[in-house]
Amino acid sequence: MSERYPTTTPEEREAAVVAATLEVQRGGLVVLPTDTVYGIGADAFDHQAVQDLLAAKGRGREMPPPVLISSPATLDALAVRVPEWARALAERFWPGPLTLVCHQQSSLQWDLGDTRGTVAVRIPDHDVAREILERTGPMAVSSANRTGMPAATDADQAQEMLGADVGVIVDAGESPGGEASTIVDVTVEGGRVLRLGAIPVAALDEVVAPFGVRLGDAAPDEGTDEGTDEGTDEEGDVTGA
């Protein structure tokens, strides 16, 4: 059964961050707020914890979770061959609703599922989430919901769906919700947009145009969720690229 921690005062917030950090470090699952919806997270380098995360959501290895980080500097520890235009996107839109699908470092000792040699990376624009990530390191994080159900936008919803599977729930009130993150695959020549989300293609192209890249030419039609497992899974889960 999960323990729930409020974050309304600085003391409560610190206690919640400490509790979540300890739970992740001992191989458990936590529910944490993000800038869009609540997420369920685990140590990205703990194989069993990641498998427990997938099981809690009711999904298989074919739907690996993305990885949330606290700083752009961590990107190079997880990914290789990141194009300069992709770095420009990260500089402009991180923290924020942009997920980059990159070639993963081959030396990484982790197993996120059937990633086909890629890793989806994002920095959430949420102070509490980043405080936790600063202490835990990279976390595999998926939206806090059972697969096929709407993502939780508050701790009550997350607890109802996942309370029996997680050790700690960090309650930061109602999440902003809104549009899902925009997902860009940077592993292919010139890149491609896998999912249209909170960041419009025009804004992406404004950043990458000086590099001779135009993502709008390879963007999916509006209303589609190409490259994702379900439209409600905000944290940008992708099946590889």
Side-chain angles (χ1 to χ4, degrees):
M1 184 59 67
S2 58
E3 292 188 63
R4 187 159 159 175
Y5 292 82
T7 58
T8 53
T9 68
E11 294 76 18
E12 288 179 343
R13 177 165 162 167
E14 175 63 15
V17 171
V18 168
T21 300
L22 291 175
E23 185 67 19
V24 170
Q25 290 174 342
R26 59 175 166 245
L29 304 180
V30 301
V31 163
L32 69 161
T34 77
D35 47 343
T36 50
V37 297
Y38 274 74
I40 177 174
D43 181 349
F45 294 95
D46 187 322
H47 169 68
Q48 186 57 55
V50 173
Q51 296 312 301
D52 291 344
L53 185 157
L54 295 174
K57 284 183 64 78
R59 65 169 46 169
R61 289 175 51 81
E62 73 280 1
M63 296 178 179
V67 174
L68 297 191
I69 59 177
S70 63
S71 167
T74 307
L75 180 62
D76 286 325
L78 305 181
V80 294
R81 306 197 303 277
V82 180
E84 287 305 311
W85 59 264
R87 295 183 186 277
L89 287 176
E91 182 177 352
R92 170 64 180 83
F93 295 112
W94 280 357
L98 173 69
T99 299
L100 298 179
V101 178
C102 308
H103 294 289
Q104 74 169 38
Q105 289 272 10
S106 59
S107 61
L108 290 175
Q109 300 298 307
W110 68 10
D111 183 2
L112 299 174
D114 298 333
T115 63
R116 306 176 201 171
T118 67
V119 58
V121 186
R122 187 169 93 84
I123 300 180
D125 190 12
H126 195 289
D127 290 343
V128 174
R130 289 202 306 278
E131 283 185 37
I132 295 171
L133 290 163
E134 285 169 1
R135 303 189 194 189
T136 63
M139 287 179 62
V141 180
S142 180
S143 56
N145 62 294
R146 294 282 298 175
T147 297
M149 299 182 69
T153 57
D154 62 35
D156 288 337
Q157 295 170 5
Q159 186 164 19
E160 182 178 352
M161 286 186 280
L162 300 169
D165 299 300
V166 304
V168 169
I169 295 176
V170 178
D171 184 354
E174 186 79 14
S175 69
E179 288 189 85
S181 64
T182 296
I183 303 176
V184 179
D185 180 0
V186 309
T187 69
V188 297
E189 184 68 27
R192 59 173 174 156
V193 178
L194 295 180
R195 179 175 71 188
L196 297 171
I199 302 173
V201 174
L204 300 175
D205 278 343
E206 183 178 343
V207 174
V208 301
F211 300 90
V213 174
R214 181 176 169 79
L215 293 168
D217 292 340
D221 293 333
E222 285 195 42
T224 66
D225 290 293
E226 180 183 336
T228 65
D229 62 305
E230 55 189 88
T232 59
D233 201 338
E234 155 50 24
E235 280 314 314
D237 296 22
V238 295
T239 57

